[in-house]
Each structure stands twice: as C-alpha cells, then as structure tokens.
Amino acid sequence: LAKTTQPISMDSYEGQEVNITCSHNNIATNDYITWYQQFPSQGPRFIIQGYKTKVTNEVASLFIPADRKSSTLSLPRVSLSDTAVYYCLVGDIGNTGFQKLVFGTGTRLLVSP
Amino acid sequence: DAGITQSPRYKITETGRQVTLMCHQTWSHSYMFWYRQDLGHGLRLIYYSAAADITDKGEVPDGYVVSRSKTENFPLTLESATRSQTSVYFCASSESEAFGELFFGEGSRLTVL
C-alpha cells in the first residue's frame, strides 16, 4: 500500500507559482510531512517540513489541512533551475518501532522559459 | 570534511560476485538509510538503522545485507549480485527519527553485468 501519492509530472513557466499536492490518507499522528528536491545524478535535498497548518521558508511554503490527509508544496515564481523531481515523504513505523522514511513516486516538474 | 560520503562512486561487477558499498558520516547521526534508485523511478528504501547494531528492513531488502558496528559507518553488501541490482544507491543519515530531514550522499552507481 503506497504511503503517499503525487502527480507524476507537472509543467510550468518561469515566474509562475507551482503547487504540488501529495495525498497521504494513512498518515499517523506522529508523522511529519517532508518534501525533497532531486536533480539528475544527485541525492535528494531537503526543502521543507511541517506537521500541520502552514510552514514557510526562503524557498517554499507547505500547506497542510486540518485532517493532514494531504499537503501542498508551493514554489513561488519558479525559475528554470527549479526543474527537478519533488518528493513528498512521511514516516512509517518499522518492526523495531522506529520510523523508516519512505519516499513516494515523486513529481517531475519541468519549468520552461 | 564533515558530511556523508559513499564509496565507490562507480562500480562494475559480474553476476554472482559480492559487492560492498560503503557509507560514512561524520555528524554522529543515529539514523542511517540505504536507498536504491532505478532509471526513471523514485527512491526505494532497502535497509535502515536506528543506531549501532540496530537495523531493520525497508521496502526492498532481498539480496542485501547491512551491518552497523560503528555509528559512523553503514555498509551495504550484495552477497551475490544480480543484474536486477544494477542501480544507483544512495546512503543517507538523519539526526532524528521524528524529523524527516535526511542528508544524502552523492550516490554509488552499480552496474552488474
């Protein structure tokens, strides 16, 4: 059973705002929601993390509704360099009782001029 | 230099051979992870470790063995490599089980002929 579900791909143009939504219907009470960015031939890089409501940092905002069954990563005014794969991630309790961090399928964002 | 390093970065081997991918982190993070990423796919968790001598299976553990005798090292061994294990392998570490900020290595590209 997939932990998270995201759109496979999205297209945008420079200067636009991009919103990527992730569905996580089975999120547990103590799970945080984290988003990563990955460029080709590189490891993923942390973007933002949240538990509920809204979180904002210098690169993105994360919106989480009250039921926490989904979340939306918002990238303001994207540029060509934002072309990457974006992953939504929530925790999952393993056999040892500790969280194992499982990635979703990712959303491939293509930003065009 | 501080960080997380993987070795080798590139490896070509033959079916049936044993291969060990090394991962070393200098932050003393408790949690370490191994992921594999196949062309066009997202990251899949192989094994993870919550502390020295504590490991647990991820999504795709078959054919892999891990150990964690020291906090800073988390080697991944393919005991008898198969062509289906051709992939890019990423090691990651995290300070906390609850917070999903993972720090990734640069990846090890393994080709099994």
Side-chain angles (χ1 to χ4, degrees), chain A residues 32 34 36 38 41-44 46 49 87 89 94-105 108, chain B residues 31 33 35 37 41-43 45 48 50 54-57 59 90 97-102 104-105 109:
Chain A
Y32 280 73
T34 314
Y36 284 81
Q38 185 181 28
S41 301
Q42 295 185 22
F46 174 89
Q49 183 182 72
Y87 292 96
L89 181 149
N95 294 331
T96 60
F98 296 99
Q99 287 210 22
K100 55 183 179 182
L101 303 176
V102 178
F103 282 72
T105 55
R108 188 173 300 274
Chain B
Y31 295 83
F33 307 81
Y35 292 87
Q37 185 170 41
H41 290 78
L43 290 95
L45 181 65
Y48 73 110
I54 300 176
T55 62
D56 198 5
K57 296 178 180 179
E59 305 169 85
F90 288 101
E97 65 169 314
F99 299 96
E101 184 166 1
L102 298 171
F104 281 83
R109 184 177 296 276

mmCIF file of all heavy atoms in Angstrom, chain A residues 32 34 36 38 41-44 46 49 87 89 94-105 108, chain B residues 31 33 35 37 41-43 45 48 50 54-57 59 90 97-102 104-105 109:
data_model
loop_
_atom_site.group_PDB
_atom_site.id
_atom_site.type_symbol
_atom_site.label_atom_id
_atom_site.label_comp_id
_atom_site.label_asym_id
_atom_site.label_seq_id
_atom_site.Cartn_x
_atom_site.Cartn_y
_atom_site.Cartn_z
ATOM 1 N N TYR A 32 5.568 13.462 10.502
ATOM 2 C CA TYR A 32 5.782 14.751 9.882
ATOM 3 C C TYR A 32 5.743 14.578 8.365
ATOM 4 O O TYR A 32 5.903 13.477 7.853
ATOM 5 C CB TYR A 32 7.135 15.325 10.294
ATOM 6 C CG TYR A 32 7.132 15.970 11.655
ATOM 7 C CD1 TYR A 32 7.071 15.195 12.816
ATOM 8 C CD2 TYR A 32 7.162 17.348 11.780
ATOM 9 C CE1 TYR A 32 7.046 15.783 14.056
ATOM 10 C CE2 TYR A 32 7.148 17.950 13.025
ATOM 11 C CZ TYR A 32 7.088 17.163 14.155
ATOM 12 O OH TYR A 32 7.058 17.757 15.382
ATOM 13 N N THR A 34 7.439 15.835 4.860
ATOM 14 C CA THR A 34 8.673 16.450 4.398
ATOM 15 C C THR A 34 8.739 16.392 2.878
ATOM 16 O O THR A 34 8.314 15.412 2.271
ATOM 17 C CB THR A 34 9.886 15.717 4.988
ATOM 18 O OG1 THR A 34 9.693 15.492 6.386
ATOM 19 C CG2 THR A 34 11.156 16.523 4.791
ATOM 20 N N TYR A 36 11.296 16.850 -0.575
ATOM 21 C CA TYR A 36 12.667 16.869 -1.068
ATOM 22 C C TYR A 36 12.676 17.223 -2.548
ATOM 23 O O TYR A 36 11.717 16.984 -3.272
ATOM 24 C CB TYR A 36 13.320 15.493 -0.886
ATOM 25 C CG TYR A 36 13.721 15.204 0.533
ATOM 26 C CD1 TYR A 36 12.788 14.756 1.451
ATOM 27 C CD2 TYR A 36 15.028 15.398 0.954
ATOM 28 C CE1 TYR A 36 13.145 14.502 2.759
ATOM 29 C CE2 TYR A 36 15.400 15.149 2.262
ATOM 30 C CZ TYR A 36 14.451 14.706 3.153
ATOM 31 O OH TYR A 36 14.810 14.464 4.448
ATOM 32 N N GLN A 38 15.156 16.716 -6.055
ATOM 33 C CA GLN A 38 16.273 15.952 -6.588
ATOM 34 C C GLN A 38 16.558 16.350 -8.029
ATOM 35 O O GLN A 38 15.673 16.300 -8.890
ATOM 36 C CB GLN A 38 16.008 14.447 -6.525
ATOM 37 C CG GLN A 38 17.209 13.622 -6.957
ATOM 38 C CD GLN A 38 16.965 12.135 -6.916
ATOM 39 O OE1 GLN A 38 15.847 11.664 -7.068
ATOM 40 N NE2 GLN A 38 18.028 11.361 -6.716
ATOM 41 N N SER A 41 21.392 12.884 -11.220
ATOM 42 C CA SER A 41 22.722 12.461 -10.759
ATOM 43 C C SER A 41 23.105 13.032 -9.393
ATOM 44 O O SER A 41 24.295 13.092 -9.059
ATOM 45 C CB SER A 41 23.800 12.831 -11.787
ATOM 46 O OG SER A 41 23.522 12.224 -13.027
ATOM 47 N N GLN A 42 22.118 13.452 -8.628
ATOM 48 C CA GLN A 42 22.389 13.940 -7.275
ATOM 49 C C GLN A 42 21.444 13.271 -6.290
ATOM 50 O O GLN A 42 20.373 12.801 -6.670
ATOM 51 C CB GLN A 42 22.204 15.461 -7.199
ATOM 52 C CG GLN A 42 23.184 16.264 -8.019
ATOM 53 C CD GLN A 42 23.010 17.743 -7.805
ATOM 54 O OE1 GLN A 42 22.469 18.184 -6.779
ATOM 55 N NE2 GLN A 42 23.465 18.532 -8.758
ATOM 56 N N GLY A 43 21.853 13.277 -5.020
ATOM 57 C CA GLY A 43 20.945 12.809 -3.992
ATOM 58 C C GLY A 43 19.888 13.857 -3.707
ATOM 59 O O GLY A 43 20.085 15.043 -3.975
ATOM 60 N N PRO A 44 18.752 13.449 -3.165
ATOM 61 C CA PRO A 44 17.702 14.410 -2.825
ATOM 62 C C PRO A 44 18.172 15.431 -1.805
ATOM 63 O O PRO A 44 19.063 15.156 -0.995
ATOM 64 C CB PRO A 44 16.595 13.526 -2.239
ATOM 65 C CG PRO A 44 16.849 12.181 -2.816
ATOM 66 C CD PRO A 44 18.337 12.068 -2.917
ATOM 67 N N PHE A 46 16.717 18.315 1.071
ATOM 68 C CA PHE A 46 15.593 18.753 1.902
ATOM 69 C C PHE A 46 15.099 20.130 1.468
ATOM 70 O O PHE A 46 15.886 21.038 1.226
ATOM 71 C CB PHE A 46 16.061 18.794 3.357
ATOM 72 C CG PHE A 46 15.058 19.353 4.326
ATOM 73 C CD1 PHE A 46 14.136 18.530 4.934
ATOM 74 C CD2 PHE A 46 15.073 20.711 4.645
ATOM 75 C CE1 PHE A 46 13.225 19.046 5.853
ATOM 76 C CE2 PHE A 46 14.173 21.227 5.551
ATOM 77 C CZ PHE A 46 13.247 20.392 6.156
ATOM 78 N N GLN A 49 9.611 21.058 5.815
ATOM 79 C CA GLN A 49 8.940 20.055 6.639
ATOM 80 C C GLN A 49 7.866 20.717 7.485
ATOM 81 O O GLN A 49 8.040 21.855 7.935
ATOM 82 C CB GLN A 49 9.956 19.355 7.541
ATOM 83 C CG GLN A 49 9.394 18.245 8.402
ATOM 84 C CD GLN A 49 10.465 17.642 9.283
ATOM 85 O OE1 GLN A 49 10.922 18.250 10.241
ATOM 86 N NE2 GLN A 49 10.888 16.429 8.947
ATOM 87 N N TYR A 87 9.747 15.148 -4.128
ATOM 88 C CA TYR A 87 9.227 14.005 -3.391
ATOM 89 C C TYR A 87 8.551 14.451 -2.104
ATOM 90 O O TYR A 87 9.074 15.282 -1.361
ATOM 91 C CB TYR A 87 10.353 13.048 -3.003
ATOM 92 C CG TYR A 87 10.995 12.335 -4.161
ATOM 93 C CD1 TYR A 87 12.164 12.823 -4.736
ATOM 94 C CD2 TYR A 87 10.444 11.165 -4.674
ATOM 95 C CE1 TYR A 87 12.767 12.162 -5.790
ATOM 96 C CE2 TYR A 87 11.036 10.495 -5.730
ATOM 97 C CZ TYR A 87 12.192 10.994 -6.279
ATOM 98 O OH TYR A 87 12.778 10.335 -7.328
ATOM 99 N N LEU A 89 7.226 12.975 1.506
ATOM 100 C CA LEU A 89 7.663 11.873 2.353
ATOM 101 C C LEU A 89 7.016 11.974 3.728
ATOM 102 O O LEU A 89 6.924 13.047 4.309
ATOM 103 C CB LEU A 89 9.189 11.950 2.477
ATOM 104 C CG LEU A 89 9.964 10.950 3.274
ATOM 105 C CD1 LEU A 89 11.337 10.770 2.650
ATOM 106 C CD2 LEU A 89 10.154 11.442 4.702
ATOM 107 N N GLY A 94 8.591 1.077 11.581
ATOM 108 C CA GLY A 94 9.084 -0.233 11.171
ATOM 109 C C GLY A 94 8.986 -1.243 12.295
ATOM 110 O O GLY A 94 8.440 -0.974 13.369
ATOM 111 N N ASN A 95 9.550 -2.425 12.074
ATOM 112 C CA ASN A 95 9.455 -3.509 13.043
ATOM 113 C C ASN A 95 10.150 -3.188 14.364
ATOM 114 O O ASN A 95 9.769 -3.698 15.417
ATOM 115 C CB ASN A 95 10.064 -4.793 12.469
ATOM 116 C CG ASN A 95 9.281 -5.317 11.291
ATOM 117 O OD1 ASN A 95 8.081 -5.096 11.206
ATOM 118 N ND2 ASN A 95 9.947 -5.982 10.379
ATOM 119 N N THR A 96 11.178 -2.347 14.292
ATOM 120 C CA THR A 96 11.901 -2.011 15.506
ATOM 121 C C THR A 96 11.180 -0.932 16.300
ATOM 122 O O THR A 96 11.607 -0.582 17.393
ATOM 123 C CB THR A 96 13.310 -1.479 15.168
ATOM 124 O OG1 THR A 96 13.174 -0.317 14.364
ATOM 125 C CG2 THR A 96 14.116 -2.526 14.438
ATOM 126 N N GLY A 97 10.112 -0.394 15.743
ATOM 127 C CA GLY A 97 9.391 0.669 16.426
ATOM 128 C C GLY A 97 9.866 2.046 16.023
ATOM 129 O O GLY A 97 9.285 3.053 16.428
ATOM 130 N N PHE A 98 10.926 2.098 15.220
ATOM 131 C CA PHE A 98 11.426 3.386 14.766
ATOM 132 C C PHE A 98 10.864 3.701 13.390
ATOM 133 O O PHE A 98 10.500 2.818 12.640
ATOM 134 C CB PHE A 98 12.951 3.374 14.712
ATOM 135 C CG PHE A 98 13.574 3.196 16.059
ATOM 136 C CD1 PHE A 98 14.019 1.957 16.463
ATOM 137 C CD2 PHE A 98 13.704 4.269 16.917
ATOM 138 C CE1 PHE A 98 14.584 1.775 17.708
ATOM 139 C CE2 PHE A 98 14.276 4.101 18.165
ATOM 140 C CZ PHE A 98 14.723 2.858 18.557
ATOM 141 N N GLN A 99 10.849 4.973 13.084
ATOM 142 C CA GLN A 99 10.323 5.401 11.793
ATOM 143 C C GLN A 99 11.298 5.089 10.672
ATOM 144 O O GLN A 99 12.482 5.334 10.792
ATOM 145 C CB GLN A 99 10.059 6.904 11.803
ATOM 146 C CG GLN A 99 8.870 7.313 12.609
ATOM 147 C CD GLN A 99 8.211 8.554 12.067
ATOM 148 O OE1 GLN A 99 8.347 8.903 10.917
ATOM 149 N NE2 GLN A 99 7.455 9.234 12.921
ATOM 150 N N LYS A 100 10.821 4.507 9.616
ATOM 151 C CA LYS A 100 11.603 4.416 8.402
ATOM 152 C C LYS A 100 10.998 5.403 7.408
ATOM 153 O O LYS A 100 9.782 5.518 7.309
ATOM 154 C CB LYS A 100 11.609 2.997 7.840
ATOM 155 C CG LYS A 100 10.234 2.404 7.591
ATOM 156 C CD LYS A 100 10.372 0.970 7.105
ATOM 157 C CE LYS A 100 9.014 0.345 6.879
ATOM 158 N NZ LYS A 100 9.129 -1.067 6.448
ATOM 159 N N LEU A 101 11.840 6.088 6.730
ATOM 160 C CA LEU A 101 11.396 7.192 5.893
ATOM 161 C C LEU A 101 11.269 6.727 4.456
ATOM 162 O O LEU A 101 12.256 6.415 3.805
ATOM 163 C CB LEU A 101 12.370 8.359 6.042
ATOM 164 C CG LEU A 101 12.517 8.818 7.501
ATOM 165 C CD1 LEU A 101 13.565 9.898 7.635
ATOM 166 C CD2 LEU A 101 11.179 9.314 8.033
ATOM 167 N N VAL A 102 10.050 6.666 3.983
ATOM 168 C CA VAL A 102 9.742 6.088 2.680
ATOM 169 C C VAL A 102 9.336 7.185 1.706
ATOM 170 O O VAL A 102 8.439 7.974 1.994
ATOM 171 C CB VAL A 102 8.608 5.046 2.808
ATOM 172 C CG1 VAL A 102 8.262 4.474 1.450
ATOM 173 C CG2 VAL A 102 9.031 3.945 3.764
ATOM 174 N N PHE A 103 9.990 7.202 0.567
ATOM 175 C CA PHE A 103 9.676 8.199 -0.453
ATOM 176 C C PHE A 103 8.488 7.761 -1.297
ATOM 177 O O PHE A 103 8.263 6.581 -1.510
ATOM 178 C CB PHE A 103 10.872 8.412 -1.378
ATOM 179 C CG PHE A 103 11.940 9.279 -0.793
ATOM 180 C CD1 PHE A 103 12.751 8.804 0.223
ATOM 181 C CD2 PHE A 103 12.129 10.567 -1.251
ATOM 182 C CE1 PHE A 103 13.734 9.604 0.772
ATOM 183 C CE2 PHE A 103 13.116 11.373 -0.709
ATOM 184 C CZ PHE A 103 13.917 10.896 0.305
ATOM 185 N N GLY A 104 7.757 8.748 -1.784
ATOM 186 C CA GLY A 104 6.703 8.485 -2.755
ATOM 187 C C GLY A 104 7.302 8.389 -4.145
ATOM 188 O O GLY A 104 8.515 8.313 -4.311
ATOM 189 N N THR A 105 6.451 8.412 -5.143
ATOM 190 C CA THR A 105 6.913 8.245 -6.527
ATOM 191 C C THR A 105 7.536 9.518 -7.085
ATOM 192 O O THR A 105 8.270 9.476 -8.055
ATOM 193 C CB THR A 105 5.759 7.829 -7.437
ATOM 194 O OG1 THR A 105 4.700 8.789 -7.312
ATOM 195 C CG2 THR A 105 5.226 6.462 -7.031
ATOM 196 N N ARG A 108 7.715 15.047 -11.311
ATOM 197 C CA ARG A 108 8.734 15.652 -12.181
ATOM 198 C C ARG A 108 8.214 17.000 -12.658
ATOM 199 O O ARG A 108 7.246 17.063 -13.421
ATOM 200 C CB ARG A 108 9.025 14.747 -13.361
ATOM 201 C CG ARG A 108 10.199 15.196 -14.224
ATOM 202 C CD ARG A 108 10.517 14.121 -15.279
ATOM 203 N NE ARG A 108 10.864 12.859 -14.669
ATOM 204 C CZ ARG A 108 12.076 12.536 -14.268
ATOM 205 N NH1 ARG A 108 13.072 13.380 -14.431
ATOM 206 N NH2 ARG A 108 12.321 11.347 -13.735
ATOM 207 N N TYR B 31 20.546 7.799 12.855
ATOM 208 C CA TYR B 31 19.817 7.084 11.823
ATOM 209 C C TYR B 31 20.552 7.114 10.493
ATOM 210 O O TYR B 31 21.019 8.154 10.050
ATOM 211 C CB TYR B 31 18.412 7.691 11.654
ATOM 212 C CG TYR B 31 17.576 7.519 12.877
ATOM 213 C CD1 TYR B 31 17.680 8.402 13.944
ATOM 214 C CD2 TYR B 31 16.712 6.437 12.996
ATOM 215 C CE1 TYR B 31 16.943 8.217 15.093
ATOM 216 C CE2 TYR B 31 15.961 6.250 14.134
ATOM 217 C CZ TYR B 31 16.090 7.145 15.182
ATOM 218 O OH TYR B 31 15.356 6.943 16.318
ATOM 219 N N PHE B 33 20.386 5.250 6.364
ATOM 220 C CA PHE B 33 19.474 4.609 5.418
ATOM 221 C C PHE B 33 20.209 4.263 4.126
ATOM 222 O O PHE B 33 21.127 4.972 3.721
ATOM 223 C CB PHE B 33 18.320 5.562 5.061
ATOM 224 C CG PHE B 33 17.580 6.125 6.241
ATOM 225 C CD1 PHE B 33 18.084 7.200 6.950
ATOM 226 C CD2 PHE B 33 16.370 5.576 6.635
ATOM 227 C CE1 PHE B 33 17.409 7.732 8.036
ATOM 228 C CE2 PHE B 33 15.676 6.096 7.717
ATOM 229 C CZ PHE B 33 16.193 7.171 8.419
ATOM 230 N N TYR B 35 19.046 3.614 0.129
ATOM 231 C CA TYR B 35 18.005 3.624 -0.878
ATOM 232 C C TYR B 35 18.610 3.201 -2.211
ATOM 233 O O TYR B 35 19.793 3.395 -2.469
ATOM 234 C CB TYR B 35 17.414 5.029 -1.064
ATOM 235 C CG TYR B 35 16.623 5.545 0.104
ATOM 236 C CD1 TYR B 35 17.249 6.229 1.156
ATOM 237 C CD2 TYR B 35 15.244 5.384 0.146
ATOM 238 C CE1 TYR B 35 16.514 6.719 2.217
ATOM 239 C CE2 TYR B 35 14.498 5.874 1.214
ATOM 240 C CZ TYR B 35 15.144 6.545 2.238
ATOM 241 O OH TYR B 35 14.414 7.027 3.300
ATOM 242 N N GLN B 37 17.798 3.674 -6.466
ATOM 243 C CA GLN B 37 17.002 4.425 -7.420
ATOM 244 C C GLN B 37 17.306 3.897 -8.812
ATOM 245 O O GLN B 37 18.431 3.966 -9.290
ATOM 246 C CB GLN B 37 17.313 5.919 -7.360
ATOM 247 C CG GLN B 37 16.415 6.749 -8.264
ATOM 248 C CD GLN B 37 16.564 8.220 -8.008
ATOM 249 O OE1 GLN B 37 17.667 8.723 -7.809
ATOM 250 N NE2 GLN B 37 15.449 8.948 -7.999
ATOM 251 N N HIS B 41 12.709 5.896 -11.901
ATOM 252 C CA HIS B 41 11.909 5.569 -10.729
ATOM 253 C C HIS B 41 12.319 6.400 -9.531
ATOM 254 O O HIS B 41 13.368 6.991 -9.495
ATOM 255 C CB HIS B 41 12.060 4.079 -10.390
ATOM 256 C CG HIS B 41 11.412 3.180 -11.380
ATOM 257 N ND1 HIS B 41 11.972 2.879 -12.586
ATOM 258 C CD2 HIS B 41 10.237 2.510 -11.345
ATOM 259 C CE1 HIS B 41 11.174 2.066 -13.256
ATOM 260 N NE2 HIS B 41 10.121 1.827 -12.530
ATOM 261 N N GLY B 42 11.478 6.379 -8.543
ATOM 262 C CA GLY B 42 11.778 7.067 -7.299
ATOM 263 C C GLY B 42 12.723 6.258 -6.441
ATOM 264 O O GLY B 42 13.272 5.243 -6.863
ATOM 265 N N LEU B 43 12.909 6.721 -5.229
ATOM 266 C CA LEU B 43 13.812 6.033 -4.306
ATOM 267 C C LEU B 43 13.059 4.972 -3.523
ATOM 268 O O LEU B 43 11.966 5.226 -3.021
ATOM 269 C CB LEU B 43 14.426 7.029 -3.329
ATOM 270 C CG LEU B 43 15.434 7.986 -3.932
ATOM 271 C CD1 LEU B 43 14.761 9.283 -4.309
ATOM 272 C CD2 LEU B 43 16.572 8.234 -2.964
ATOM 273 N N LEU B 45 13.492 2.261 -0.290
ATOM 274 C CA LEU B 45 14.285 2.002 0.907
ATOM 275 C C LEU B 45 14.684 0.535 0.977
ATOM 276 O O LEU B 45 13.841 -0.356 0.910
ATOM 277 C CB LEU B 45 13.480 2.394 2.144
ATOM 278 C CG LEU B 45 14.160 2.224 3.493
ATOM 279 C CD1 LEU B 45 15.361 3.147 3.614
ATOM 280 C CD2 LEU B 45 13.164 2.493 4.622
ATOM 281 N N TYR B 48 17.473 0.267 6.869
ATOM 282 C CA TYR B 48 17.798 1.431 7.652
ATOM 283 C C TYR B 48 18.288 0.990 9.026
ATOM 284 O O TYR B 48 18.123 -0.165 9.416
ATOM 285 C CB TYR B 48 16.613 2.388 7.762
ATOM 286 C CG TYR B 48 15.489 1.935 8.656
ATOM 287 C CD1 TYR B 48 15.224 2.560 9.865
ATOM 288 C CD2 TYR B 48 14.654 0.877 8.275
ATOM 289 C CE1 TYR B 48 14.188 2.165 10.668
ATOM 290 C CE2 TYR B 48 13.618 0.471 9.080
ATOM 291 C CZ TYR B 48 13.384 1.127 10.268
ATOM 292 O OH TYR B 48 12.349 0.716 11.075
ATOM 293 N N ALA B 50 18.682 2.441 13.156
ATOM 294 C CA ALA B 50 18.346 3.466 14.150
ATOM 295 C C ALA B 50 19.523 3.783 15.061
ATOM 296 O O ALA B 50 19.524 4.803 15.747
ATOM 297 C CB ALA B 50 17.155 3.007 14.985
ATOM 298 N N ILE B 54 21.569 -1.833 15.415
ATOM 299 C CA ILE B 54 20.113 -1.899 15.258
ATOM 300 C C ILE B 54 19.776 -1.600 13.805
ATOM 301 O O ILE B 54 19.975 -0.476 13.326
ATOM 302 C CB ILE B 54 19.383 -0.903 16.167
ATOM 303 C CG1 ILE B 54 19.693 -1.184 17.631
ATOM 304 C CG2 ILE B 54 17.874 -0.976 15.916
ATOM 305 C CD1 ILE B 54 19.078 -0.188 18.590
ATOM 306 N N THR B 55 19.301 -2.603 13.102
ATOM 307 C CA THR B 55 18.931 -2.417 11.699
ATOM 308 C C THR B 55 17.559 -3.013 11.439
ATOM 309 O O THR B 55 17.078 -3.866 12.208
ATOM 310 C CB THR B 55 19.949 -3.080 10.750
ATOM 311 O OG1 THR B 55 19.966 -4.491 10.981
ATOM 312 C CG2 THR B 55 21.346 -2.505 10.947
ATOM 313 N N ASP B 56 16.933 -2.574 10.358
ATOM 314 C CA ASP B 56 15.604 -3.085 10.025
ATOM 315 C C ASP B 56 15.424 -3.008 8.520
ATOM 316 O O ASP B 56 16.052 -2.192 7.832
ATOM 317 C CB ASP B 56 14.521 -2.269 10.729
ATOM 318 C CG ASP B 56 13.184 -3.000 10.779
ATOM 319 O OD1 ASP B 56 13.126 -4.184 10.352
ATOM 320 O OD2 ASP B 56 12.193 -2.402 11.228
ATOM 321 N N LYS B 57 14.575 -3.891 8.007
ATOM 322 C CA LYS B 57 14.335 -3.963 6.580
ATOM 323 C C LYS B 57 13.462 -2.820 6.103
ATOM 324 O O LYS B 57 12.580 -2.353 6.807
ATOM 325 C CB LYS B 57 13.660 -5.295 6.233
ATOM 326 C CG LYS B 57 14.509 -6.506 6.527
ATOM 327 C CD LYS B 57 13.743 -7.788 6.203
ATOM 328 C CE LYS B 57 14.594 -9.017 6.496
ATOM 329 N NZ LYS B 57 13.863 -10.272 6.206
ATOM 330 N N GLU B 59 11.698 -1.451 2.103
ATOM 331 C CA GLU B 59 10.768 -1.967 1.100
ATOM 332 C C GLU B 59 11.334 -3.114 0.276
ATOM 333 O O GLU B 59 10.617 -4.030 -0.109
ATOM 334 C CB GLU B 59 10.380 -0.847 0.139
ATOM 335 C CG GLU B 59 9.815 0.404 0.777
ATOM 336 C CD GLU B 59 9.727 1.510 -0.246
ATOM 337 O OE1 GLU B 59 8.726 1.551 -0.972
ATOM 338 O OE2 GLU B 59 10.663 2.328 -0.315
ATOM 339 N N PHE B 90 21.884 5.233 -2.865
ATOM 340 C CA PHE B 90 22.084 6.432 -2.053
ATOM 341 C C PHE B 90 22.059 6.062 -0.577
ATOM 342 O O PHE B 90 21.158 5.371 -0.110
ATOM 343 C CB PHE B 90 20.999 7.470 -2.314
ATOM 344 C CG PHE B 90 21.107 8.150 -3.636
ATOM 345 C CD1 PHE B 90 20.297 7.764 -4.692
ATOM 346 C CD2 PHE B 90 22.004 9.179 -3.821
ATOM 347 C CE1 PHE B 90 20.388 8.403 -5.920
ATOM 348 C CE2 PHE B 90 22.098 9.823 -5.041
ATOM 349 C CZ PHE B 90 21.287 9.436 -6.093
ATOM 350 N N GLU B 97 14.572 10.499 14.540
ATOM 351 C CA GLU B 97 13.611 9.584 13.939
ATOM 352 C C GLU B 97 12.323 10.289 13.587
ATOM 353 O O GLU B 97 11.601 9.868 12.706
ATOM 354 C CB GLU B 97 13.293 8.449 14.906
ATOM 355 C CG GLU B 97 12.576 8.915 16.167
ATOM 356 C CD GLU B 97 12.040 7.758 16.996
ATOM 357 O OE1 GLU B 97 11.443 6.868 16.416
ATOM 358 O OE2 GLU B 97 12.240 7.772 18.210
ATOM 359 N N ALA B 98 12.026 11.372 14.265
ATOM 360 C CA ALA B 98 10.739 12.021 14.053
ATOM 361 C C ALA B 98 10.792 13.060 12.952
ATOM 362 O O ALA B 98 9.811 13.272 12.252
ATOM 363 C CB ALA B 98 10.263 12.670 15.346
ATOM 364 N N PHE B 99 11.915 13.682 12.798
ATOM 365 C CA PHE B 99 12.032 14.734 11.809
ATOM 366 C C PHE B 99 12.684 14.189 10.558
ATOM 367 O O PHE B 99 13.742 13.605 10.616
ATOM 368 C CB PHE B 99 12.845 15.898 12.373
ATOM 369 C CG PHE B 99 12.208 16.497 13.577
ATOM 370 C CD1 PHE B 99 12.587 16.120 14.844
ATOM 371 C CD2 PHE B 99 11.195 17.422 13.441
ATOM 372 C CE1 PHE B 99 11.979 16.658 15.960
ATOM 373 C CE2 PHE B 99 10.591 17.970 14.546
ATOM 374 C CZ PHE B 99 10.982 17.598 15.811
ATOM 375 N N GLY B 100 12.042 14.409 9.413
ATOM 376 C CA GLY B 100 12.474 13.726 8.203
ATOM 377 C C GLY B 100 13.579 14.375 7.420
ATOM 378 O O GLY B 100 13.658 14.163 6.227
ATOM 379 N N GLU B 101 14.432 15.185 8.041
ATOM 380 C CA GLU B 101 15.500 15.786 7.265
ATOM 381 C C GLU B 101 16.626 14.787 7.106
ATOM 382 O O GLU B 101 17.388 14.516 8.038
ATOM 383 C CB GLU B 101 16.011 17.070 7.903
ATOM 384 C CG GLU B 101 17.066 17.749 7.042
ATOM 385 C CD GLU B 101 17.360 19.169 7.456
ATOM 386 O OE1 GLU B 101 16.754 19.644 8.437
ATOM 387 O OE2 GLU B 101 18.208 19.799 6.794
ATOM 388 N N LEU B 102 16.715 14.232 5.912
ATOM 389 C CA LEU B 102 17.771 13.303 5.563
ATOM 390 C C LEU B 102 18.882 14.026 4.828
ATOM 391 O O LEU B 102 18.621 14.901 4.008
ATOM 392 C CB LEU B 102 17.220 12.199 4.653
ATOM 393 C CG LEU B 102 16.141 11.299 5.225
ATOM 394 C CD1 LEU B 102 15.574 10.423 4.134
ATOM 395 C CD2 LEU B 102 16.688 10.459 6.348
ATOM 396 N N PHE B 104 21.840 13.258 2.225
ATOM 397 C CA PHE B 104 22.208 12.203 1.299
ATOM 398 C C PHE B 104 23.651 12.301 0.833
ATOM 399 O O PHE B 104 24.211 13.393 0.705
ATOM 400 C CB PHE B 104 21.305 12.263 0.060
ATOM 401 C CG PHE B 104 19.953 11.671 0.276
ATOM 402 C CD1 PHE B 104 18.943 12.415 0.853
ATOM 403 C CD2 PHE B 104 19.696 10.356 -0.074
ATOM 404 C CE1 PHE B 104 17.691 11.865 1.082
ATOM 405 C CE2 PHE B 104 18.440 9.799 0.131
ATOM 406 C CZ PHE B 104 17.447 10.554 0.710
ATOM 407 N N GLY B 105 24.219 11.126 0.565
ATOM 408 C CA GLY B 105 25.492 11.071 -0.107
ATOM 409 C C GLY B 105 25.313 11.312 -1.590
ATOM 410 O O GLY B 105 24.190 11.513 -2.075
ATOM 411 N N ARG B 109 26.946 4.386 -8.239
ATOM 412 C CA ARG B 109 26.321 3.788 -9.427
ATOM 413 C C ARG B 109 26.903 2.403 -9.644
ATOM 414 O O ARG B 109 28.092 2.264 -9.898
ATOM 415 C CB ARG B 109 26.557 4.668 -10.652
ATOM 416 C CG ARG B 109 25.866 4.160 -11.907
ATOM 417 C CD ARG B 109 26.081 5.106 -13.069
ATOM 418 N NE ARG B 109 25.474 6.408 -12.830
ATOM 419 C CZ ARG B 109 24.209 6.699 -13.061
ATOM 420 N NH1 ARG B 109 23.398 5.783 -13.574
ATOM 421 N NH2 ARG B 109 23.743 7.915 -12.822
#
